[in-house]
Amino acid sequence: MGTDTSDASADDASEATDGDAPSRAELAARVDELEDALAEADDGGKKMSIIATKGTLDMAYPPLILASTAAAFGYEVTVFHTFWGLDILHEERSKSLKLSSVGNPNMPVPNAVAALPGMDRVTTRMMEKRIADNDTATVEELLETSLDMGVEFQACQMTIDLMDYDEDDFYDGVTAGVGAATALQDMAEADIQLLV
């Protein structure tokens, strides 16, 4: 009985190696081919796409902080700036971004007082003082740090035309003249998409 069982196993094993079974070299070649295909399909990194639409002092920080933090974690980051968000990329305008006191429920003044002439200047100065007192990076510093980390800042072409901006007025390293189709393609390929 023991001989019949071992003979049957030996026959099964020889059948598995005969005929249709690929050789060791063929298997190794197929593994190499699959690894190459995986390497081409996966560029190895995650992508984040942010759309920045607001140009107030308080709304300049979220896309810059998120972009620089994601870049520090190895993400490929693109920030598409459109409408008032374009002011963040403008060298002169970015240095004088205002904080709107009207309609902001977290402001320490009621809307009736916030609507008074000059209150935006007051609240902007309050925020700038808080930024300085806490040694928080400025918008310019965050932008330059992000650019150094490889974040791609894109300026919307339609907004450039609409607002009559000159592309030379943007920080060095900003990609100007980007259209909505390019932004949509970037978002479609990103692992994380944010609208700020």
Side-chain angles (χ1 to χ4, degrees):
M1 250 188 191
T3 309
D4 291 340
T5 305
S6 64
D7 288 343
S9 297
D11 288 342
D12 290 343
S14 69
E15 285 178 22
T17 57
D18 293 341
D20 296 8
S23 70
R24 207 174 269 247
E26 291 171 327
L27 285 174
R30 182 65 181 141
V31 167
D32 289 342
E33 183 181 311
L34 289 171
E35 286 176 344
D36 289 344
L38 281 173
E40 287 176 19
D42 181 20
D43 60 5
K46 292 190 174 195
K47 289 182 70 175
M48 176 185 271
S49 179
I50 302 172
I51 309 299
T53 62
K54 308 220 176 12
T56 57
L57 180 60
D58 56 327
M59 292 307 295
Y61 277 87
L64 295 173
I65 292 169
L66 291 167
S68 59
T69 302
F73 280 108
Y75 280 76
E76 178 185 332
V77 183
T78 304
V79 187
F80 180 74
H81 292 258
T82 188
F83 280 83
W84 303 118
L86 206 57
D87 285 349
I88 299 167
L89 303 179
H90 193 282
E91 277 194 86
E92 290 307 312
R93 290 178 183 262
S94 66
K95 295 173 186 166
S96 59
L97 298 177
K98 304 286 185 260
L99 180 64
S100 178
S101 55
V102 176
N104 188 340
N106 292 324
M107 289 305 295
V109 293
N111 275 337
V113 176
L116 293 173
M119 283 306 293
D120 284 351
R121 276 193 307 262
V122 171
T123 55
T124 298
R125 284 192 193 128
M126 288 170 49
M127 181 57 80
E128 288 171 341
K129 182 178 181 340
R130 181 169 282 198
I131 289 167
D133 289 349
N134 286 292
D135 202 26
T136 302
T138 64
V139 169
E140 181 181 13
E141 290 168 339
L142 279 172
L143 187 64
E144 289 176 354
T145 299
S146 297
L147 283 166
D148 289 343
M149 296 173 81
V151 173
E152 181 180 358
F153 290 100
Q154 300 174 338
C156 173
Q157 182 62 53
M158 185 199 73
T159 307
I160 291 171
D161 296 339
L162 180 67
M163 303 296 189
D164 199 27
Y165 286 165
D166 186 339
E167 293 180 13
D168 294 334
D169 292 335
F170 297 122
Y171 285 93
D172 289 339
V174 169
T175 305
V178 177
T182 302
L184 286 171
Q185 181 64 40
D186 186 72
M187 285 186 280
E189 295 170 357
D191 299 289
I192 300 172
Q193 306 92 6
L194 301 171
L195 172 66
V196 181

